[in-house]
Amino acid sequence: MASMAAVLNKTPFLSQQPLTKSPNLDLPITAVSFPSKPRRRRGVVRSGLIAPDGGKLVELIVDEPRRREKKHEATELPHVELTAIDMQWMHVLSEGWASPLGGFMRESEFLQTLHFNSLRLDDGSVVNMSVPIVLAIDDEQKAGIGESKRVALVDSDGNLVAILTDIEIYKHPKEERIARTWGTTAPGLPYVEEAITNAGNWLIGGDLEVLEPVKYNDGLDRFRLSPADLRRELEKRGADAVFAFQLRNPVHNGHALLMTDTRRRLLEMGYKNPILLLHPLGGYTKADDVPLSWRMKQHEKVLEDGVLDPETTVVSIFPSPMHYAGPTEVQWHAKARINAGANFYIVGRDPAGMGHPVEKRDLYDADHGKKVLSMAPGLERLNILPFKVAAYDKTQGKMAFFDPSRPQDFLFISGTKMRTLAKNKENPPDGFMCPGGWQVLVDYYDSLTPAGNGRLPEVIPA
């Protein structure tokens, strides 16, 4: 399987056409628009990877020779236990996905993120930061910390994993955080119920020192490339443009059409070796999403079957948890890929969105994510590539870009329809998804078939 990586960048020269509305609301929409001429310097398309936010990657893992000493120091400090989602955020911070952020947010960083979706640096420049990366503690933990300026962080098994230094403890304004991040305080928001509602009433921020690289030991660590790893891989491949595609769903041939067409157009612009960063989200997702291990197995089949070219594709897991916070969250997804070296970012219909948890409608306007990315502070360097509509062309027997002059020839297969077919072990039309990838989906849903006692079994890793 190809190795894994991603990079983003956005610039004002990229024209953006309005998205065409899809007849089916579950289908991602595509409308890739490119400038008529590539940017050139001395007659050559600009090459080289985009610089990280703040000018350099902030990597927070303690150097190996100092780890024993740091672990000894940590044993003497007050302890704060991390949840699974806290551990995922620690992973994000440790590798520099949130550069130039150097730890869990202090109050000034939290407020800037909440109110401005950005951070102002010491030199006056602005970087995007749209979701709070914070650590909650309760009254008992706060009392246990006392006057200490440092705390040790431990995992659920009590293992020392990090030290937080020069700490600041401040109130956790849950309602304000939820309202500003999601635009609603309606009950039923998955991340809120998982990570905020029952969290402590205080937040603790500070400089982070992670004692060892984060490993999950789930058979997928080889796919978890850090921004530095990705940059090395992209440079090794000679990438002069990197276009990132985030997903939390299986890849069908409509996605593949979009990605291959994007590369073709970048070549037409004058780039010599555009590389695709296929970057599935690997942190927390809601219960009805296909688990990461099954998604990765499906992506592997897509590459094995030649739907995507392994030579021009880098596949890697993005360790962030998923908020389902729409236009607010998609800025985070884009910003993080800049730090991995991507200068183009593909955005679809309703990115990071979900259905309203109470009402029968989408929580966010389907076009707002694309529009917000084109205006977001701190993302000016990123080229935004909106989707065009892809659907199943019955006349060609394959996925193709929708032609509004002959709508009767196209079949829109929604995510709901796709899941229903897989659950019933029925095949989609030939050309919708590679056979190997489809079989993975069928196997996943088959693993959820109720046992004889009527109970759903535990999800089986792929």
Side-chain angles (χ1 to χ4, degrees), residues 89 105 113 117 128-133 181 320 323 325 328-329 332:
W89 283 123
M105 290 178 174
T113 298
N117 284 357
N128 191 271
M129 181 57 69
S130 63
V131 298
I133 301 181
T181 303
S320 175
H323 278 63
T328 297
E329 184 176 16
W332 158 242

Side-chain angles (χ1 to χ4, degrees), residues 83-98:
T83 66
I85 289 180
D86 294 334
M87 286 288 294
Q88 291 167 11
W89 283 123
M90 187 190 78
H91 183 181
V92 165
L93 290 166
S94 72
E95 293 182 341
W97 295 102

Side-chain angles (χ1 to χ4, degrees), residues 39 46 65 124 147 152 250 261 359 393 404 420 427:
R39 286 184 299 177
R46 289 178 62 180
E147 299 300 318
D261 189 67
E359 304 171 16
D393 187 339
T420 301
N427 291 324

Side-chain angles (χ1 to χ4, degrees), residues 172 174 178 188-201:
H172 186 183
K174 295 182 184 180
I178 294 165
L189 297 168
Y191 186 92
V192 171
E193 293 192 343
E194 185 73 23
I196 299 179
T197 301
N198 297 318
N201 293 322

Side-chain angles (χ1 to χ4, degrees), residues 109-118 129-130 173 176 180:
E109 295 160 331
F110 173 71
L111 291 175
Q112 288 181 75
T113 298
L114 215 56
H115 292 270
F116 309 134
N117 284 357
S118 61
M129 181 57 69
S130 63
E176 181 181 4
R180 288 194 170 273

